[in-house]
Amino acid sequence: MLVRDAMSTVVLTVGPAHTLRQAATLMSARRVGAAVVLDPDGTGIGILTERDVLVSLGLGQDPDSERAHAHTTTDVVFAAPSWTLEDAAHAMTHGGFRHLIVLERGEPVGIVSVRDIIRCWVPVRRQAAQHTPA
């Protein structure tokens, strides 16, 4: 199975000047754990995750004044739609993160998360186990 089969094609994007509260509100409304941060004048494409927001709150920072750019991961590993889910899982495990931005021709076309991979793997593995002779 490929990343294109598992990824969410609705990508939440925010700008670098969004506050953490604004980003968290959008993430919550869309029920996603990450937002792509587009900064055409700066670092390009980055990612802001729910973990980044939690770390900021845990440090006592004000979510109404903290900006997305200050908490964005810009050293991002990108996936291609043609990657296997095994490739994506390996990249996530090796890098210690739970979301991959999927790029096609340099543009974000989706996000794949650990949850997306599990959602695809569980039915396939369950079906395989049912058809395995005892």
Side-chain angles (χ1 to χ4, degrees):
M1 191 167 278
L2 302 178
V3 165
R4 76 171 43 91
D5 302 318
M7 71 183 192
S8 171
T9 58
V10 177
V11 179
L12 173 62
T13 60
V14 298
H18 274 82
T19 66
L20 288 187
R21 184 177 307 279
Q22 290 170 323
T25 299
L26 292 168
M27 290 164 63
S28 177
R30 295 263 186 100
R31 299 176 53 89
V32 297
V36 173
V37 181
L38 297 178
D39 187 1
D41 300 325
T43 57
I45 301 172
I47 191 166
L48 178 72
T49 68
E50 56 199 355
R51 184 181 302 166
D52 298 323
V53 175
L54 286 173
V55 167
S56 175
L57 292 174
L59 292 172
Q61 297 173 335
D62 180 2
D64 292 314
S65 63
E66 288 296 314
R67 302 294 173 182
H69 70 84
H71 301 277
T72 298
T73 301
T74 56
D75 184 20
V76 180
V77 174
F78 298 103
S82 59
W83 279 20
T84 66
L85 293 185
E86 287 81 6
D87 292 335
H90 176 76
M92 290 176 185
T93 302
H94 181 70
F97 44 82
R98 297 177 292 161
H99 299 87
L100 282 169
I101 299 171
V102 183
L103 291 184
E104 193 165 50
R105 292 185 283 292
E107 295 294 321
V109 294
I111 291 187
V112 66
S113 69
V114 170
R115 181 177 288 148
D116 296 326
I117 293 171
I118 291 169
R119 191 175 14 247
C120 289
W121 278 351
V122 167
V124 170
R125 297 198 190 291
R126 186 177 299 136
Q127 185 178 16
Q130 290 174 349
H131 291 90
T132 303

